[in-house]
Amino acid sequence: MECSKDAVSLCFDSNNNIFQFWLECVRQGRADIIQNYCNEEEKRKICSQVFKENRTYAFRICMIIWTEAVKIVERMETPNGAVDKKFEECVARSLQATTPWMLIELSEECLMDFARIVNKTICDPPLSPVFIKFQKYIKSHIYEPLNIEIIADSLYISKSHLSHTIKRETGETVHRWILKEKINMARLMLSNKTYCMNEIWSLLGFCSQSHFAKCFRQITGVTPSQFRLNVTLSETDEPGNSKLRESIGNLNKT
């Protein structure tokens, strides 16, 4: 089921943009963040605000979300069989979901599965123990100051060993890899409008907003503000979607 960027944005561009946040987590293979994003009470509140107990609208939006997730996963060159099977499972199980809340729960579970598929694809190539430990260390200390000296000491290896290993396995320097991981986390935080721009660059250890913006653009090709305004959904408008777009727009006005 295809839908235009405008139609999707009408639903996603809100302070409770949990759906776009989930999709960004899928892109990075972070099922753990989807699982811990917010508690059940907060999700029920979002569900009530967006869908007003209208199961039909909820199903349409969930189909958009699942379709976008499939596109994300397929771009990662994952096995098509696994992706198709998961999508078919989502659709089949949606027939048993009689309320918007049940569809939200199903979406959360399915998107976590999509994220695990992405993560498995990322981690499938044979990686050295040093790189695996390096990657885990960065992810678990992402809000702390990170440099090659700190990480090498924490992993009980020399700086040269760490540098050569990362360069050999990724083609990147240690500094560049750390920066990319911090920008990945920034993308997640930008997808969640709970965080203001100052909080994001400060929490991630950038020395100023201008430095953060420069690094973000260097990695992603856009500024943080541009990313937040046009947060990854880049599908062109498709003929025949005006009715769905109007329906979603009317839903958000009620």
Side-chain angles (χ1 to χ4, degrees):
M1 179 179 182
E2 294 290 337
C3 185
S4 70
K5 174 184 174 181
D6 290 343
V8 177
S9 296
L10 285 169
C11 179
F12 285 18
D13 289 350
S14 67
N15 288 329
N16 294 316
N17 59 348
I18 187 173
F19 312 117
Q20 187 57 62
F21 181 72
W22 279 348
L23 288 175
E24 184 61 34
C25 289
V26 170
R27 183 174 288 101
Q28 297 190 29
R30 298 303 300 269
D32 57 323
I33 295 180
I34 295 176
Q35 186 174 29
N36 298 318
Y37 173 58
C38 60
N39 61 38
E40 181 175 324
E41 181 180 352
E42 291 173 309
K43 283 182 284 193
R44 283 186 179 274
K45 181 179 178 181
I46 293 169
C47 180
S48 177
Q49 289 174 340
V50 175
F51 299 127
K52 309 293 185 184
E53 298 305 319
N54 192 318
R55 195 262 180 198
T56 301
Y57 285 124
F59 176 72
R60 288 178 177 177
I61 295 302
C62 287
M63 283 294 291
I64 293 170
I65 295 166
W66 302 338
T67 301
E68 290 297 325
V70 167
K71 293 175 185 176
I72 290 169
V73 178
E74 286 180 340
R75 292 187 194 112
M76 302 294 296
E77 299 183 356
T78 55
N80 286 334
V83 181
D84 293 342
K85 183 178 179 181
K86 177 50 57 180
F87 183 78
E88 290 167 5
E89 179 186 329
C90 288
V91 175
R93 291 179 60 190
S94 70
L95 301 177
Q96 308 300 319
T98 57
T99 66
W101 173 245
M102 292 174 70
L103 285 167
I104 287 291
E105 287 190 305
L106 173 60
S107 291
E108 181 179 39
E109 183 179 339
C110 289
L111 291 177
M112 286 173 63
D113 287 340
F114 280 126
R116 291 186 184 104
I117 292 172
V118 170
N119 186 62
K120 186 175 187 301
T121 301
I122 294 171
C123 296
D124 263 352
L127 300 171
S128 70
V130 169
F131 179 80
I132 292 172
K133 291 177 182 178
F134 168 76
Q135 184 77 329
K136 286 181 177 179
Y137 185 89
I138 292 177
K139 288 184 182 299
S140 60
H141 296 80
I142 197 70
Y143 298 115
E144 301 173 15
L146 290 172
N147 57 46
I148 189 170
E149 289 84 1
I150 292 172
I151 299 174
D153 286 347
S154 299
L155 300 183
Y156 302 103
I157 58 176
S158 68
K159 291 190 297 182
S160 61
H161 184 191
L162 178 60
S163 177
H164 291 154
T165 300
I166 303 312
K167 186 68 174 180
R168 183 182 68 245
E169 299 197 19
T170 71
E172 305 276 8
T173 65
V174 170
H175 173 75
R176 178 76 173 182
W177 194 266
I178 292 170
L179 180 60
K180 289 172 70 172
E181 287 297 317
K182 284 186 176 284
I183 296 304
N184 279 341
M185 181 55 68
R187 284 159 58 103
L188 286 175
M189 297 170 80
L190 287 164
S191 297
N192 177 0
K193 292 183 181 178
T194 300
Y195 296 96
C196 71
M197 200 70 71
N198 284 341
E199 287 178 308
I200 294 172
W201 66 259
S202 178
L203 283 170
L204 289 172
F206 291 92
C207 60
S208 66
Q209 184 166 334
S210 61
H211 179 227
F212 169 57
K214 179 181 178 181
C215 292
F216 192 94
R217 185 164 191 167
Q218 184 183 92
I219 299 297
T220 68
V222 297
T223 67
S225 297
Q226 288 170 332
F227 180 85
R228 174 160 268 176
L229 287 173
N230 189 24
V231 68
T232 74
L233 292 176
S234 57
E235 298 303 317
T236 56
D237 201 4
E238 297 287 344
N241 285 319
S242 58
K243 186 175 181 180
L244 177 58
R245 181 165 59 251
E246 181 181 354
S247 297
I248 299 173
N250 291 336
L251 169 64
N252 284 282
K253 292 175 183 178
T254 57

